[in-house]
Amino acid sequence: QTVVTQEPSLTVSPGGTVTLTCASSTGAVTSGYYPNWFQQKPGQAPRALIYSTNNKHSWTPARFSGSLLGGKAALTLSGVQPEDEAEYYCLLYHGGTQPWVFGGGTKLTVL
Amino acid sequence: EVQLVESGGGLVQPGGSLRLSCVASGFTFSDYWMHWVRQGPGKGLEWVSRIHGAGRFTNYTDSVRGRFTISRDNAKNTLYLQMNSLRAEDTALYYCVRNLVQGVNVWFDPWGQGTLVTVSS
């Protein structure tokens, strides 16, 4: 059973920078895992932010960026805004019979 | 406007069945993989199943394989999830999601608003 691990919670001050990570139990995350990142606010459906490691959708604010960092996928928020308080999920491709696995999510608090 | 609208959720007893539907509009439905993703109450997202654009290939998460069947009708722009032998742990909001695979670009958007499935006696 593949497990994808994210920090359960992080806190950041407005205007600060924070990095969320996404690790796979199968080993180092590479671009071949096609990391995707999603933001979910209470009562709303998830919204796509980043695809294929570091690509932004047209609606993704410039302060969000994706990368690979130390064998993990990473989502960095620079110049955090109060409206960035949300749950963030990563999604990784592992192939096989159960190809896609979500991380457990990171609850980001802006305080 | 690209849109996905789910329906078919409801209250069902353990061991019962439900069929979820997701009607797509605003894009060429058959060009895309489609997925079902669920979220239990107060829990995180869980990938459930996917189906190829032409319907040839399907995959499932281990916990639903053999009980759930994903299918699509491209003439009706509709995705389905037939859920049998339902268990309490299947209680969740079920989302359908469009997935584009274009070379190294793989993304998931849009998401529907979800349909709620509650399994309880």
Side-chain angles (χ1 to χ4, degrees):
Chain A
Q1 181 83 355
T2 300
V3 177
V4 175
T5 302
Q6 298 181 243
E7 297 85 1
S9 63
L10 291 170
T11 300
V12 61
S13 300
T17 297
V18 64
T19 297
L20 290 63
T21 67
C22 175
S24 172
S25 62
T26 62
V29 175
T30 66
S31 59
Y33 285 69
Y34 305 103
N36 275 251
W37 290 92
F38 304 90
Q39 178 192 65
Q40 187 180 34
K41 296 183 178 180
Q44 296 182 15
R47 182 178 73 145
L49 287 176
I50 299 289
Y51 66 94
S52 294
T53 305
N54 55 8
N55 296 280
K56 299 177 189 180
H57 291 280
S58 59
W59 55 83
T60 303
R63 60 184 180 274
F64 290 86
S65 63
S67 65
L68 297 175
L69 202 61
K72 300 178 184 181
L75 176 70
T76 299
L77 288 70
S78 304
V80 172
Q81 301 296 306
E83 60 265 30
D84 297 333
E85 184 163 291
E87 193 87 23
Y88 291 85
Y89 293 93
C90 66
L91 176 62
L92 298 180
Y93 179 75
H94 290 82
T97 58
Q98 188 168 315
W100 291 97
V101 182
F102 279 98
T106 296
K107 182 175 175 57
L108 183 66
T109 300
V110 181
L111 206 57
Chain B
E1 182 193 1
V2 175
Q3 196 172 14
L4 299 171
V5 179
E6 302 97 333
S7 62
L11 175 64
V12 61
Q13 292 187 339
S17 298
L18 273 180
R19 188 176 82 154
L20 307 184
S21 299
C22 170
V23 176
S25 59
F27 64 98
T28 304
F29 184 61
S30 58
D31 283 350
Y32 295 83
W33 286 86
M34 295 296 296
H35 297 239
W36 287 101
V37 174
R38 68 184 180 184
Q39 187 168 34
K43 296 187 176 180
L45 301 175
E46 180 184 19
W47 180 84
V48 174
S49 182
R50 71 169 179 173
I51 186 167
H52 182 260
R56 293 194 194 102
F57 308 108
T58 60
N59 298 102
Y60 301 89
T61 191
D62 289 347
S63 63
V64 309
R65 190 175 298 115
R67 300 187 299 123
F68 290 11
T69 302
I70 190 171
S71 63
R72 63 193 298 160
D73 184 335
N74 287 344
K76 295 182 178 179
N77 289 343
T78 303
L79 173 72
Y80 301 102
L81 186 67
Q82 176 67 43
M83 304 186 296
N84 299 330
S85 303
L86 282 161
R87 306 167 180 168
E89 54 265 35
D90 296 318
T91 294
L93 188 60
Y94 284 73
Y95 295 102
C96 69
V97 190
R98 182 181 71 163
N99 168 213
L100 175 70
V101 179
Q102 202 170 56
V104 296
N105 292 322
V106 180
W107 48 255
F108 295 80
D109 181 77
W111 294 58
Q113 283 303 302
T115 187
L116 182 62
V117 173
T118 304
V119 184
S120 174
S121 54

